[in-house]
């Protein structure tokens, strides 16, 4: 039975309909034959996909523009049980991580202080990405609204 190893609850500002999960190495230690961040952006913008992954990066496209999205990152010891009834959209992809540490990053570069440490460098992870409506639109003066959507990313070691 799958066991949850670690859960990180965080939030990220969605800008230009996008945000990222990025390895702490960023573009460094990325194999030369892997798509660059520019390639990932082009692929995400030119397809119907809402998530695209490559070495050290997963980029997510939101239906909404400027807001704060609630995000949960989870590390599992094997594939976790599915719960599609709780999520509007779910997809699975793979992400390589050279440093073994990932965190949320805004498109303009600001990154979260919270991170998910896989405790394993240079590994490939299966990622189940899920999204659903948030708890309800909440706005405070001059700040990005919250409560529009929530995401969950479940990682487990790829076979």
């Amino acid at each position: 039975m799958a066991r949850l190893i670690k859960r990180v609850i965080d939030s990220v500002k969605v800008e230009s309909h996008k945000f990222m999960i990025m390895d702490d190495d960023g573009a460094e230690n990325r194999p030369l034959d892997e798509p660059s961040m520019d390639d990932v952006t082009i692929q995400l913008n030119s397809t119907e996909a809402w998530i695209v992954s490559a070495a050290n990066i997963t980029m997510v496209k939101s239906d909404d523009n400027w807001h704060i999205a609630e995000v949960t990152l989870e590390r599992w010891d094997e594939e976790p049980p599915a719960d599609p009834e709780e999520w509007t959209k779910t997809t699975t992809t793979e992400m390589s991580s050279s440093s073994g540490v990932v965190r949320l990053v805004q498109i303009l570069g600001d990154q979260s202080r919270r991170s998910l440490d896989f405790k394993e460098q240079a590994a490939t992870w299966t990622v189940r990405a899920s999204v659903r409506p948030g708890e309800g639109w909440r706005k405070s003066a001059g700040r990005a609204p919250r409560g529009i959507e929530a995401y969950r990313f479940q990682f487990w070691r790829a076979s």
Side-chain angles (χ1 to χ4, degrees):
M1 185 163 158
R3 185 172 60 92
L4 177 64
I5 305 294
K6 175 138 184 170
R7 176 179 287 139
V8 175
I9 298 172
D10 205 350
S11 61
V12 65
K13 187 184 292 180
V14 176
E15 299 164 314
S16 301
H17 294 273
K18 295 176 196 71
F19 69 91
M20 299 177 286
I21 300 170
M22 187 174 287
D23 183 272
D24 276 358
D25 282 346
E28 295 180 27
N29 293 329
R30 177 182 58 82
L32 295 176
D33 61 340
E34 280 285 324
S36 69
M37 189 176 338
D38 288 340
D39 296 333
V40 170
T41 302
I42 290 166
Q43 185 179 356
L44 191 65
N45 288 339
S46 64
T47 67
E48 293 300 314
W50 63 278
I51 183 170
V52 175
S53 292
N56 290 351
I57 184 171
T58 293
M59 190 173 291
V60 180
K61 180 170 39 177
S62 169
D63 289 337
D64 288 289
N65 191 11
W66 186 69
H67 67 284
I68 305 294
E70 306 305 320
V71 180
T72 301
L73 304 173
E74 297 178 344
R75 159 81 162 90
W76 289 78
D77 65 347
E78 62 184 57
E79 182 177 355
D83 56 351
E85 65 281 351
E86 292 187 32
W87 301 94
T88 307
K89 292 188 286 191
T90 298
T91 193
T92 303
T93 187
E94 286 190 353
M95 177 185 174
S96 298
S97 171
S98 60
S99 77
V101 177
V102 296
R103 66 186 72 241
L104 297 172
V105 178
Q106 295 174 20
I107 291 301
L108 297 179
D110 291 340
Q111 58 182 288
S112 175
R113 286 179 264 164
R114 297 182 185 142
S115 63
L116 180 62
D117 188 343
F118 296 131
K119 306 283 187 203
E120 190 173 341
Q121 295 180 342
T124 300
W125 300 90
T126 302
V127 185
R128 180 186 296 145
S130 303
V131 63
R132 67 177 175 216
E135 296 177 0
W137 194 84
R138 300 181 312 277
K139 183 171 175 138
S140 59
R143 295 194 177 162
R146 293 181 169 270
I148 294 172
E149 59 188 353
Y151 290 86
R152 180 183 65 189
F153 298 90
Q154 297 173 302
F155 294 84
W156 65 95
R157 189 76 151 82
S159 317

